[in-house]
Amino acid sequence: MKLLFKRINRKKIPLYANFIIFVLIYALGAIFYRKFLSLRVFVNLLTDNSFLGITAVGMTLVIISGGIDLSVGSMMVFTTMLIALFTEMLHLPPIVVLPAVVLIGVLFGSLMGGLIHFFNAPPFIVTLSGMFLARGLGFVISLDSIPIKHKFYYNASQFGIQLTEKIRMPIIAIIFIAVVIIGIILSHYTKFGRNTYAIGGNEQSAVLMGLPVGRIKIMIYAFSGMCSALAGIVYVLYTLSGYGLAYMGLELDSVASVVIGGTLLTGGVGYVEGTLVGVLIQGLIYNFITFQGNLNVWWAKIVIGLLLLFFILMQRTFSTRTAAN
Amino acid sequence: MKKKNYSSLLWPLITLAAILVFNLIFTKGFFNIEIKNGHLFGSIIDIIKRAVPVMIIAIGMTMVIATKGIDISVGSIIAISGAIAAIIILNTGLSLFFVIFLSLAVAFLFGAFNGLLISYIGIQPVVATLILMVAGRGVAQLITNGYVLYIDHKAFEYLGIGFFLGIPFSIIITLIVYIITYAVTRTTAIGLLIQAVGGNPRASYYTGINVKSIKFFVYAFSGLCAGISGLIISSDIKGADPSFAGLWVELDAILAVVIGGTPFTGGKYYLFGSIIGSLIIQSLTTTILTRGVPVQYTLVVKAIVVFIVIIFQSAEFRQKVLRGLKRKIQ
């Protein structure tokens, strides 16, 4: 038994705990509610959490590098407002609008990354200001919800892959899965990914090893900005509108998914695939509350806060133990 | 030491003076102060009064930032303390003293919860307070059951809109909080200990300073300040709004502290600078509004100001740009 325990990589314990909790919650749901285990519920789980998941993939890389990005939610909402502005007020075609908003997301992210690198400013302050800036810019466009009536967005939102006769995988879920796969490849199989882990593990060593730390840091925040912009596009396809006050507190949900997914907040250790499961766990908690029927939706926020706390505490115990060894 | 204090307050004071001079020239009757029914009225008084919630939070935030931390949960604690006051007033016949005492106690406990996570468990301040920033609004929603509650209670309203000797009572509360904080931190060793913890936690630990308990109390104090601010806000609007009370006030408070000269990197703090910083923000907001710029621009302007302050505070910028400028002048 002791040997077995030694064989398990201690760094991966939060990741395993994450999978176990996911299976447990799913099993509980399946026992309590009849339709919980159906394919339709699972597809909906992917669809309803796609925008959260996409921001969480970017957030995973940022946290692996030892930073944090609090601007993801605001950036996503700002993107929805930009799409609304470009299509409904300026009447630009989607082929111009979509690359433009992604580019704006990348620029916004690199701007924050640049501030963090060149002025050695704490990431949380820079991205917190970015969070307020993006929300504010969204309000400047409009304080009200703007419906997006262009038929391209409606048609795109109806597109999907037929899984069975009645159920199909909507485009939103497909984009989500694609982004997760890109994130896994980026983090595990590219130079960029390895450099990210190196910076998060020990920035000083990374500099001394001659890694281009500044450029990679800016690229990481640019990638996160791009993910937020993609999430914005997905959110537009999901709601067919832009609204400046939408999804307050996405930042916490996103950080929570990453941490529940087994990524260490101190950087250097993390898994995009864990983040996927972290997102789905949160989705299951919301599902539970919907299935239950008469609980206030704010309970979900509190439960997620507690779950996050639990995982952080678990990380603390394991990381101090490894340090002691 | 004295000289350094003076120079760090110079920039905030110049900024505030510039905004006031701008208004002196462009806004008619800006400096008029009238006495109506024995109460003071006027734009200046109005700015100070509106700056009260941010000033009180900024006092707590100054202490937090001095230890190299941050507290972004203050907005949610404002919502919680307002909600608790409302629920007690509406559902029980308890006296005002208990209403205030219980709401502040709860705010203090939430602050202490932050402190516990940060000092004894060792979570980064931004993540620990992020938990309460989001979950806290959920708690406030649960307390009021998701509704905006209206309070009709004359004595409670005095906190936010009453006058004492002609001066708005909320300004007097701010003054009391400021004086107590100043006295406790500057006449005893506590201020020095806080600076030591922010400057170098490890060295402080080896000197025998109880780093953990200092950090713990700093966050608890920040929670208490947010609670006081929450009571004043809900007394001012005669109600408790769980989703919008104190929304985005954390940005204002952080901005006030850093404009006032306290660096993000911790190790020193300027309490009076934070008060000046809050006044700068409020006079800026009031100026934006009286100039006829739509209200939604204020968030953008403030965020840009923070970015500029971040750049100006960084050692890299000072070394490269400012030194280059000095050389050019010479």
Side-chain angles (χ1 to χ4, degrees), chain A residues 115 119-121 125 129 132 136 139 265 298 301-302 309 312-313 316, chain B residues 117 121-122 124 134 138 141-142 248 251 264 300 306-307 310 314 316:
Chain A
L115 276 177
F119 298 108
N120 208 6
I125 295 284
S129 326
F132 290 112
F139 292 152
L265 272 169
W298 281 96
K301 289 264 181 248
I302 296 171
L309 195 59
I312 292 175
L313 294 183
R316 296 299 307 179
Chain B
L117 293 184
I121 297 169
Q124 294 99 312
V134 174
Q141 295 269 358
L142 286 181
W248 292 315
L251 179 74
F264 281 125
V300 177
V306 184
F307 275 127
I310 291 171
S314 77
E316 280 75 7

PDB file of all heavy atoms in Angstrom, chain A residues 115 119-121 125 129 132 136 139 265 298 301-302 309 312-313 316, chain B residues 117 121-122 124 134 138 141-142 248 251 264 300 306-307 310 314 316:
ATOM      1  N   LEU A 115       2.261  45.363 -19.762  1.00  0.00           N
ATOM      2  CA  LEU A 115       2.332  46.134 -18.510  1.00  0.00           C
ATOM      3  C   LEU A 115       2.959  45.291 -17.405  1.00  0.00           C
ATOM      4  O   LEU A 115       3.795  45.770 -16.639  1.00  0.00           O
ATOM      5  CB  LEU A 115       0.936  46.570 -18.075  1.00  0.00           C
ATOM      6  CG  LEU A 115       0.389  47.840 -18.691  1.00  0.00           C
ATOM      7  CD1 LEU A 115      -1.029  48.080 -18.220  1.00  0.00           C
ATOM      8  CD2 LEU A 115       1.267  49.019 -18.304  1.00  0.00           C
ATOM      9  N   PHE A 119       6.729  46.755 -16.795  1.00  0.00           N
ATOM     10  CA  PHE A 119       6.719  47.604 -15.597  1.00  0.00           C
ATOM     11  C   PHE A 119       6.726  46.775 -14.326  1.00  0.00           C
ATOM     12  O   PHE A 119       6.575  47.328 -13.235  1.00  0.00           O
ATOM     13  CB  PHE A 119       5.534  48.556 -15.644  1.00  0.00           C
ATOM     14  CG  PHE A 119       5.614  49.485 -16.808  1.00  0.00           C
ATOM     15  CD1 PHE A 119       4.767  49.343 -17.875  1.00  0.00           C
ATOM     16  CD2 PHE A 119       6.580  50.475 -16.831  1.00  0.00           C
ATOM     17  CE1 PHE A 119       4.870  50.190 -18.964  1.00  0.00           C
ATOM     18  CE2 PHE A 119       6.685  51.318 -17.915  1.00  0.00           C
ATOM     19  CZ  PHE A 119       5.830  51.171 -18.983  1.00  0.00           C
ATOM     20  N   ASN A 120       6.895  45.456 -14.486  1.00  0.00           N
ATOM     21  CA  ASN A 120       6.999  44.580 -13.339  1.00  0.00           C
ATOM     22  C   ASN A 120       5.840  44.785 -12.356  1.00  0.00           C
ATOM     23  O   ASN A 120       6.015  44.777 -11.146  1.00  0.00           O
ATOM     24  CB  ASN A 120       8.338  44.835 -12.630  1.00  0.00           C
ATOM     25  CG  ASN A 120       8.801  43.588 -11.919  1.00  0.00           C
ATOM     26  OD1 ASN A 120       8.177  42.537 -12.062  1.00  0.00           O
ATOM     27  ND2 ASN A 120       9.869  43.704 -11.150  1.00  0.00           N
ATOM     28  N   ALA A 121       4.638  45.024 -12.901  1.00  0.00           N
ATOM     29  CA  ALA A 121       3.461  45.292 -12.065  1.00  0.00           C
ATOM     30  C   ALA A 121       2.813  43.970 -11.684  1.00  0.00           C
ATOM     31  O   ALA A 121       2.881  43.012 -12.450  1.00  0.00           O
ATOM     32  CB  ALA A 121       2.470  46.154 -12.841  1.00  0.00           C
ATOM     33  N   ILE A 125      -3.272  43.338 -10.087  1.00  0.00           N
ATOM     34  CA  ILE A 125      -3.657  44.743 -10.183  1.00  0.00           C
ATOM     35  C   ILE A 125      -3.915  45.115 -11.643  1.00  0.00           C
ATOM     36  O   ILE A 125      -4.927  45.736 -11.975  1.00  0.00           O
ATOM     37  CB  ILE A 125      -2.532  45.648  -9.628  1.00  0.00           C
ATOM     38  CG1 ILE A 125      -2.327  45.423  -8.155  1.00  0.00           C
ATOM     39  CG2 ILE A 125      -2.830  47.100  -9.907  1.00  0.00           C
ATOM     40  CD1 ILE A 125      -3.359  46.044  -7.305  1.00  0.00           C
ATOM     41  N   SER A 129      -7.603  46.090 -13.160  1.00  0.00           N
ATOM     42  CA  SER A 129      -7.906  47.319 -13.881  1.00  0.00           C
ATOM     43  C   SER A 129      -8.446  46.993 -15.266  1.00  0.00           C
ATOM     44  O   SER A 129      -9.365  47.651 -15.757  1.00  0.00           O
ATOM     45  CB  SER A 129      -6.669  48.189 -14.032  1.00  0.00           C
ATOM     46  OG  SER A 129      -5.838  48.064 -12.929  1.00  0.00           O
ATOM     47  N   PHE A 132     -12.099  46.226 -15.026  1.00  0.00           N
ATOM     48  CA  PHE A 132     -12.969  47.401 -14.946  1.00  0.00           C
ATOM     49  C   PHE A 132     -12.990  48.153 -16.272  1.00  0.00           C
ATOM     50  O   PHE A 132     -14.036  48.656 -16.691  1.00  0.00           O
ATOM     51  CB  PHE A 132     -12.514  48.314 -13.814  1.00  0.00           C
ATOM     52  CG  PHE A 132     -12.752  47.736 -12.463  1.00  0.00           C
ATOM     53  CD1 PHE A 132     -11.711  47.356 -11.646  1.00  0.00           C
ATOM     54  CD2 PHE A 132     -14.047  47.558 -12.012  1.00  0.00           C
ATOM     55  CE1 PHE A 132     -11.940  46.802 -10.412  1.00  0.00           C
ATOM     56  CE2 PHE A 132     -14.290  47.006 -10.769  1.00  0.00           C
ATOM     57  CZ  PHE A 132     -13.231  46.629  -9.968  1.00  0.00           C
ATOM     58  N   GLY A 136     -16.291  48.826 -18.377  1.00  0.00           N
ATOM     59  CA  GLY A 136     -16.609  50.231 -18.637  1.00  0.00           C
ATOM     60  C   GLY A 136     -16.779  50.491 -20.123  1.00  0.00           C
ATOM     61  O   GLY A 136     -17.727  51.159 -20.539  1.00  0.00           O
ATOM     62  N   PHE A 139     -20.079  49.353 -21.225  1.00  0.00           N
ATOM     63  CA  PHE A 139     -21.146  50.292 -20.851  1.00  0.00           C
ATOM     64  C   PHE A 139     -21.148  51.498 -21.768  1.00  0.00           C
ATOM     65  O   PHE A 139     -22.196  52.080 -22.040  1.00  0.00           O
ATOM     66  CB  PHE A 139     -20.971  50.777 -19.406  1.00  0.00           C
ATOM     67  CG  PHE A 139     -21.199  49.706 -18.400  1.00  0.00           C
ATOM     68  CD1 PHE A 139     -20.566  49.740 -17.169  1.00  0.00           C
ATOM     69  CD2 PHE A 139     -22.049  48.665 -18.678  1.00  0.00           C
ATOM     70  CE1 PHE A 139     -20.773  48.755 -16.238  1.00  0.00           C
ATOM     71  CE2 PHE A 139     -22.263  47.656 -17.749  1.00  0.00           C
ATOM     72  CZ  PHE A 139     -21.613  47.709 -16.528  1.00  0.00           C
ATOM     73  N   LEU A 265      -2.171  27.115  -7.694  1.00  0.00           N
ATOM     74  CA  LEU A 265      -2.228  28.580  -7.804  1.00  0.00           C
ATOM     75  C   LEU A 265      -0.840  29.193  -7.758  1.00  0.00           C
ATOM     76  O   LEU A 265      -0.632  30.322  -8.175  1.00  0.00           O
ATOM     77  CB  LEU A 265      -3.065  29.144  -6.656  1.00  0.00           C
ATOM     78  CG  LEU A 265      -4.547  29.231  -6.955  1.00  0.00           C
ATOM     79  CD1 LEU A 265      -5.313  29.538  -5.702  1.00  0.00           C
ATOM     80  CD2 LEU A 265      -4.806  30.279  -7.994  1.00  0.00           C
ATOM     81  N   TRP A 298     -28.296  31.543  -6.227  1.00  0.00           N
ATOM     82  CA  TRP A 298     -27.103  32.071  -5.570  1.00  0.00           C
ATOM     83  C   TRP A 298     -26.421  31.031  -4.700  1.00  0.00           C
ATOM     84  O   TRP A 298     -25.264  31.146  -4.366  1.00  0.00           O
ATOM     85  CB  TRP A 298     -27.457  33.305  -4.742  1.00  0.00           C
ATOM     86  CG  TRP A 298     -27.586  34.486  -5.628  1.00  0.00           C
ATOM     87  CD1 TRP A 298     -28.735  34.988  -6.166  1.00  0.00           C
ATOM     88  CD2 TRP A 298     -26.530  35.290  -6.140  1.00  0.00           C
ATOM     89  NE1 TRP A 298     -28.441  36.047  -6.968  1.00  0.00           N
ATOM     90  CE2 TRP A 298     -27.105  36.264  -6.962  1.00  0.00           C
ATOM     91  CE3 TRP A 298     -25.145  35.288  -5.982  1.00  0.00           C
ATOM     92  CZ2 TRP A 298     -26.349  37.213  -7.625  1.00  0.00           C
ATOM     93  CZ3 TRP A 298     -24.396  36.229  -6.639  1.00  0.00           C
ATOM     94  CH2 TRP A 298     -24.999  37.183  -7.460  1.00  0.00           C
ATOM     95  N   LYS A 301     -23.274  29.814  -6.329  1.00  0.00           N
ATOM     96  CA  LYS A 301     -22.073  30.628  -6.117  1.00  0.00           C
ATOM     97  C   LYS A 301     -21.417  30.262  -4.792  1.00  0.00           C
ATOM     98  O   LYS A 301     -20.193  30.168  -4.695  1.00  0.00           O
ATOM     99  CB  LYS A 301     -22.440  32.115  -6.107  1.00  0.00           C
ATOM    100  CG  LYS A 301     -22.820  32.638  -7.461  1.00  0.00           C
ATOM    101  CD  LYS A 301     -21.639  33.293  -8.149  1.00  0.00           C
ATOM    102  CE  LYS A 301     -22.035  33.849  -9.495  1.00  0.00           C
ATOM    103  NZ  LYS A 301     -21.448  33.153 -10.616  1.00  0.00           N
ATOM    104  N   ILE A 302     -22.255  30.078  -3.776  1.00  0.00           N
ATOM    105  CA  ILE A 302     -21.709  29.783  -2.450  1.00  0.00           C
ATOM    106  C   ILE A 302     -21.063  28.399  -2.448  1.00  0.00           C
ATOM    107  O   ILE A 302     -19.960  28.219  -1.943  1.00  0.00           O
ATOM    108  CB  ILE A 302     -22.816  29.912  -1.383  1.00  0.00           C
ATOM    109  CG1 ILE A 302     -23.283  31.371  -1.340  1.00  0.00           C
ATOM    110  CG2 ILE A 302     -22.337  29.469  -0.024  1.00  0.00           C
ATOM    111  CD1 ILE A 302     -24.493  31.620  -0.512  1.00  0.00           C
ATOM    112  N   LEU A 309     -12.502  26.625  -2.047  1.00  0.00           N
ATOM    113  CA  LEU A 309     -11.784  26.675  -0.780  1.00  0.00           C
ATOM    114  C   LEU A 309     -11.225  25.301  -0.430  1.00  0.00           C
ATOM    115  O   LEU A 309     -10.060  25.147  -0.075  1.00  0.00           O
ATOM    116  CB  LEU A 309     -12.768  27.130   0.301  1.00  0.00           C
ATOM    117  CG  LEU A 309     -12.160  27.586   1.606  1.00  0.00           C
ATOM    118  CD1 LEU A 309     -11.235  28.746   1.340  1.00  0.00           C
ATOM    119  CD2 LEU A 309     -13.256  28.001   2.555  1.00  0.00           C
ATOM    120  N   ILE A 312      -8.259  24.470  -2.603  1.00  0.00           N
ATOM    121  CA  ILE A 312      -7.067  25.246  -2.252  1.00  0.00           C
ATOM    122  C   ILE A 312      -6.437  24.671  -0.993  1.00  0.00           C
ATOM    123  O   ILE A 312      -5.230  24.502  -0.913  1.00  0.00           O
ATOM    124  CB  ILE A 312      -7.431  26.733  -2.051  1.00  0.00           C
ATOM    125  CG1 ILE A 312      -7.840  27.352  -3.377  1.00  0.00           C
ATOM    126  CG2 ILE A 312      -6.249  27.498  -1.490  1.00  0.00           C
ATOM    127  CD1 ILE A 312      -8.322  28.758  -3.254  1.00  0.00           C
ATOM    128  N   LEU A 313      -7.284  24.322  -0.025  1.00  0.00           N
ATOM    129  CA  LEU A 313      -6.767  23.734   1.216  1.00  0.00           C
ATOM    130  C   LEU A 313      -6.041  22.430   0.923  1.00  0.00           C
ATOM    131  O   LEU A 313      -4.976  22.160   1.466  1.00  0.00           O
ATOM    132  CB  LEU A 313      -7.906  23.489   2.209  1.00  0.00           C
ATOM    133  CG  LEU A 313      -8.589  24.744   2.729  1.00  0.00           C
ATOM    134  CD1 LEU A 313      -9.656  24.385   3.749  1.00  0.00           C
ATOM    135  CD2 LEU A 313      -7.572  25.667   3.357  1.00  0.00           C
ATOM    136  N   ARG A 316      -2.718  23.126  -0.476  1.00  0.00           N
ATOM    137  CA  ARG A 316      -1.772  23.579   0.548  1.00  0.00           C
ATOM    138  C   ARG A 316      -1.166  22.379   1.271  1.00  0.00           C
ATOM    139  O   ARG A 316       0.033  22.278   1.429  1.00  0.00           O
ATOM    140  CB  ARG A 316      -2.440  24.485   1.588  1.00  0.00           C
ATOM    141  CG  ARG A 316      -2.979  25.768   1.087  1.00  0.00           C
ATOM    142  CD  ARG A 316      -1.951  26.660   0.495  1.00  0.00           C
ATOM    143  NE  ARG A 316      -0.807  26.926   1.345  1.00  0.00           N
ATOM    144  CZ  ARG A 316       0.202  27.680   0.949  1.00  0.00           C
ATOM    145  NH1 ARG A 316       0.210  28.214  -0.256  1.00  0.00           N
ATOM    146  NH2 ARG A 316       1.210  27.910   1.744  1.00  0.00           N
TER     147      ARG A 316
ATOM    148  N   LEU B 117      -7.873  32.923   5.926  1.00  0.00           N
ATOM    149  CA  LEU B 117      -7.411  32.243   4.711  1.00  0.00           C
ATOM    150  C   LEU B 117      -6.026  32.733   4.307  1.00  0.00           C
ATOM    151  O   LEU B 117      -5.172  31.955   3.889  1.00  0.00           O
ATOM    152  CB  LEU B 117      -8.378  32.522   3.554  1.00  0.00           C
ATOM    153  CG  LEU B 117      -9.774  31.954   3.656  1.00  0.00           C
ATOM    154  CD1 LEU B 117     -10.554  32.242   2.396  1.00  0.00           C
ATOM    155  CD2 LEU B 117      -9.708  30.453   3.868  1.00  0.00           C
ATOM    156  N   ILE B 121      -3.675  30.151   6.482  1.00  0.00           N
ATOM    157  CA  ILE B 121      -3.676  29.070   5.503  1.00  0.00           C
ATOM    158  C   ILE B 121      -2.744  29.395   4.347  1.00  0.00           C
ATOM    159  O   ILE B 121      -2.230  28.500   3.681  1.00  0.00           O
ATOM    160  CB  ILE B 121      -5.124  28.783   5.052  1.00  0.00           C
ATOM    161  CG1 ILE B 121      -5.917  28.299   6.268  1.00  0.00           C
ATOM    162  CG2 ILE B 121      -5.159  27.727   3.970  1.00  0.00           C
ATOM    163  CD1 ILE B 121      -7.368  28.222   6.072  1.00  0.00           C
ATOM    164  N   GLY B 122      -2.488  30.677   4.129  1.00  0.00           N
ATOM    165  CA  GLY B 122      -1.464  31.039   3.160  1.00  0.00           C
ATOM    166  C   GLY B 122      -1.929  31.130   1.722  1.00  0.00           C
ATOM    167  O   GLY B 122      -1.158  30.934   0.792  1.00  0.00           O
ATOM    168  N   GLN B 124      -3.075  33.224  -1.614  1.00  0.00           N
ATOM    169  CA  GLN B 124      -2.788  34.576  -2.089  1.00  0.00           C
ATOM    170  C   GLN B 124      -3.985  35.489  -1.814  1.00  0.00           C
ATOM    171  O   GLN B 124      -5.124  35.083  -2.028  1.00  0.00           O
ATOM    172  CB  GLN B 124      -2.532  34.598  -3.597  1.00  0.00           C
ATOM    173  CG  GLN B 124      -1.299  33.880  -4.032  1.00  0.00           C
ATOM    174  CD  GLN B 124      -1.656  32.517  -4.531  1.00  0.00           C
ATOM    175  OE1 GLN B 124      -2.396  31.792  -3.870  1.00  0.00           O
ATOM    176  NE2 GLN B 124      -1.141  32.158  -5.685  1.00  0.00           N
ATOM    177  N   VAL B 134     -17.358  37.124  -4.814  1.00  0.00           N
ATOM    178  CA  VAL B 134     -18.475  36.545  -5.569  1.00  0.00           C
ATOM    179  C   VAL B 134     -19.455  35.830  -4.640  1.00  0.00           C
ATOM    180  O   VAL B 134     -20.655  36.081  -4.675  1.00  0.00           O
ATOM    181  CB  VAL B 134     -17.947  35.616  -6.666  1.00  0.00           C
ATOM    182  CG1 VAL B 134     -19.087  34.907  -7.343  1.00  0.00           C
ATOM    183  CG2 VAL B 134     -17.150  36.413  -7.667  1.00  0.00           C
ATOM    184  N   GLY B 138     -23.708  36.387  -3.126  1.00  0.00           N
ATOM    185  CA  GLY B 138     -24.672  35.311  -2.958  1.00  0.00           C
ATOM    186  C   GLY B 138     -25.241  35.311  -1.549  1.00  0.00           C
ATOM    187  O   GLY B 138     -26.445  35.185  -1.352  1.00  0.00           O
ATOM    188  N   GLN B 141     -27.650  38.127  -1.186  1.00  0.00           N
ATOM    189  CA  GLN B 141     -28.899  37.776  -1.871  1.00  0.00           C
ATOM    190  C   GLN B 141     -29.739  36.843  -1.008  1.00  0.00           C
ATOM    191  O   GLN B 141     -30.955  36.976  -0.931  1.00  0.00           O
ATOM    192  CB  GLN B 141     -28.595  37.050  -3.188  1.00  0.00           C
ATOM    193  CG  GLN B 141     -27.890  37.893  -4.209  1.00  0.00           C
ATOM    194  CD  GLN B 141     -28.857  38.605  -5.115  1.00  0.00           C
ATOM    195  OE1 GLN B 141     -30.064  38.429  -4.987  1.00  0.00           O
ATOM    196  NE2 GLN B 141     -28.330  39.429  -5.997  1.00  0.00           N
ATOM    197  N   LEU B 142     -29.074  35.882  -0.357  1.00  0.00           N
ATOM    198  CA  LEU B 142     -29.806  34.929   0.470  1.00  0.00           C
ATOM    199  C   LEU B 142     -30.427  35.634   1.672  1.00  0.00           C
ATOM    200  O   LEU B 142     -31.548  35.333   2.066  1.00  0.00           O
ATOM    201  CB  LEU B 142     -28.871  33.810   0.940  1.00  0.00           C
ATOM    202  CG  LEU B 142     -28.491  32.809  -0.131  1.00  0.00           C
ATOM    203  CD1 LEU B 142     -27.581  31.751   0.455  1.00  0.00           C
ATOM    204  CD2 LEU B 142     -29.731  32.153  -0.712  1.00  0.00           C
ATOM    205  N   TRP B 248     -18.254  47.563  -7.491  1.00  0.00           N
ATOM    206  CA  TRP B 248     -17.070  48.209  -8.051  1.00  0.00           C
ATOM    207  C   TRP B 248     -16.446  49.244  -7.137  1.00  0.00           C
ATOM    208  O   TRP B 248     -15.625  50.040  -7.557  1.00  0.00           O
ATOM    209  CB  TRP B 248     -17.350  48.844  -9.416  1.00  0.00           C
ATOM    210  CG  TRP B 248     -17.603  47.803 -10.422  1.00  0.00           C
ATOM    211  CD1 TRP B 248     -16.864  46.676 -10.576  1.00  0.00           C
ATOM    212  CD2 TRP B 248     -18.656  47.719 -11.373  1.00  0.00           C
ATOM    213  NE1 TRP B 248     -17.387  45.909 -11.584  1.00  0.00           N
ATOM    214  CE2 TRP B 248     -18.489  46.515 -12.083  1.00  0.00           C
ATOM    215  CE3 TRP B 248     -19.732  48.542 -11.684  1.00  0.00           C
ATOM    216  CZ2 TRP B 248     -19.342  46.133 -13.093  1.00  0.00           C
ATOM    217  CZ3 TRP B 248     -20.580  48.165 -12.693  1.00  0.00           C
ATOM    218  CH2 TRP B 248     -20.395  46.965 -13.384  1.00  0.00           C
ATOM    219  N   LEU B 251     -12.519  49.035  -6.723  1.00  0.00           N
ATOM    220  CA  LEU B 251     -11.610  49.754  -7.640  1.00  0.00           C
ATOM    221  C   LEU B 251     -11.358  51.166  -7.117  1.00  0.00           C
ATOM    222  O   LEU B 251     -10.223  51.626  -7.064  1.00  0.00           O
ATOM    223  CB  LEU B 251     -12.192  49.829  -9.043  1.00  0.00           C
ATOM    224  CG  LEU B 251     -11.290  50.591 -10.015  1.00  0.00           C
ATOM    225  CD1 LEU B 251     -10.082  49.757 -10.389  1.00  0.00           C
ATOM    226  CD2 LEU B 251     -12.010  51.032 -11.256  1.00  0.00           C
ATOM    227  N   PHE B 264       1.890  49.589  -4.285  1.00  0.00           N
ATOM    228  CA  PHE B 264       1.340  48.236  -4.322  1.00  0.00           C
ATOM    229  C   PHE B 264       2.274  47.240  -3.665  1.00  0.00           C
ATOM    230  O   PHE B 264       1.867  46.198  -3.206  1.00  0.00           O
ATOM    231  CB  PHE B 264       1.180  47.782  -5.777  1.00  0.00           C
ATOM    232  CG  PHE B 264      -0.010  48.333  -6.433  1.00  0.00           C
ATOM    233  CD1 PHE B 264       0.098  49.023  -7.619  1.00  0.00           C
ATOM    234  CD2 PHE B 264      -1.253  48.155  -5.872  1.00  0.00           C
ATOM    235  CE1 PHE B 264      -1.015  49.534  -8.230  1.00  0.00           C
ATOM    236  CE2 PHE B 264      -2.371  48.669  -6.481  1.00  0.00           C
ATOM    237  CZ  PHE B 264      -2.246  49.362  -7.675  1.00  0.00           C
ATOM    238  N   VAL B 300     -14.424  53.791 -17.206  1.00  0.00           N
ATOM    239  CA  VAL B 300     -13.298  53.756 -18.152  1.00  0.00           C
ATOM    240  C   VAL B 300     -12.222  54.732 -17.701  1.00  0.00           C
ATOM    241  O   VAL B 300     -11.036  54.385 -17.654  1.00  0.00           O
ATOM    242  CB  VAL B 300     -13.795  54.120 -19.566  1.00  0.00           C
ATOM    243  CG1 VAL B 300     -12.622  54.149 -20.539  1.00  0.00           C
ATOM    244  CG2 VAL B 300     -14.820  53.115 -20.033  1.00  0.00           C
ATOM    245  N   VAL B 306      -5.877  54.168 -13.191  1.00  0.00           N
ATOM    246  CA  VAL B 306      -5.112  53.122 -12.482  1.00  0.00           C
ATOM    247  C   VAL B 306      -3.938  52.664 -13.324  1.00  0.00           C
ATOM    248  O   VAL B 306      -2.825  52.512 -12.818  1.00  0.00           O
ATOM    249  CB  VAL B 306      -5.989  51.896 -12.143  1.00  0.00           C
ATOM    250  CG1 VAL B 306      -5.190  50.886 -11.337  1.00  0.00           C
ATOM    251  CG2 VAL B 306      -7.191  52.300 -11.379  1.00  0.00           C
ATOM    252  N   PHE B 307      -4.169  52.434 -14.616  1.00  0.00           N
ATOM    253  CA  PHE B 307      -3.078  52.010 -15.498  1.00  0.00           C
ATOM    254  C   PHE B 307      -1.931  53.024 -15.444  1.00  0.00           C
ATOM    255  O   PHE B 307      -0.764  52.651 -15.345  1.00  0.00           O
ATOM    256  CB  PHE B 307      -3.571  51.872 -16.947  1.00  0.00           C
ATOM    257  CG  PHE B 307      -4.197  50.545 -17.232  1.00  0.00           C
ATOM    258  CD1 PHE B 307      -5.458  50.457 -17.787  1.00  0.00           C
ATOM    259  CD2 PHE B 307      -3.522  49.369 -16.940  1.00  0.00           C
ATOM    260  CE1 PHE B 307      -6.042  49.238 -18.052  1.00  0.00           C
ATOM    261  CE2 PHE B 307      -4.092  48.139 -17.203  1.00  0.00           C
ATOM    262  CZ  PHE B 307      -5.357  48.068 -17.756  1.00  0.00           C
ATOM    263  N   ILE B 310      -0.117  52.711 -12.188  1.00  0.00           N
ATOM    264  CA  ILE B 310       0.728  51.507 -12.176  1.00  0.00           C
ATOM    265  C   ILE B 310       2.049  51.804 -12.865  1.00  0.00           C
ATOM    266  O   ILE B 310       3.123  51.486 -12.363  1.00  0.00           O
ATOM    267  CB  ILE B 310       0.021  50.339 -12.912  1.00  0.00           C
ATOM    268  CG1 ILE B 310      -1.173  49.843 -12.127  1.00  0.00           C
ATOM    269  CG2 ILE B 310       0.996  49.186 -13.151  1.00  0.00           C
ATOM    270  CD1 ILE B 310      -2.020  48.855 -12.888  1.00  0.00           C
ATOM    271  N   SER B 314       5.986  52.105 -11.033  1.00  0.00           N
ATOM    272  CA  SER B 314       6.948  51.017 -11.212  1.00  0.00           C
ATOM    273  C   SER B 314       8.370  51.565 -11.226  1.00  0.00           C
ATOM    274  O   SER B 314       8.650  52.621 -11.788  1.00  0.00           O
ATOM    275  CB  SER B 314       6.656  50.272 -12.514  1.00  0.00           C
ATOM    276  OG  SER B 314       7.123  51.016 -13.598  1.00  0.00           O
ATOM    277  N   GLU B 316      10.847  50.350 -12.778  1.00  0.00           N
ATOM    278  CA  GLU B 316      11.403  50.316 -14.122  1.00  0.00           C
ATOM    279  C   GLU B 316      11.146  51.638 -14.849  1.00  0.00           C
ATOM    280  O   GLU B 316      12.024  52.212 -15.470  1.00  0.00           O
ATOM    281  CB  GLU B 316      10.766  49.175 -14.936  1.00  0.00           C
ATOM    282  CG  GLU B 316      11.356  47.820 -14.633  1.00  0.00           C
ATOM    283  CD  GLU B 316      10.874  47.276 -13.306  1.00  0.00           C
ATOM    284  OE1 GLU B 316       9.972  47.889 -12.688  1.00  0.00           O
ATOM    285  OE2 GLU B 316      11.407  46.252 -12.866  1.00  0.00           O
TER     286      GLU B 316
END
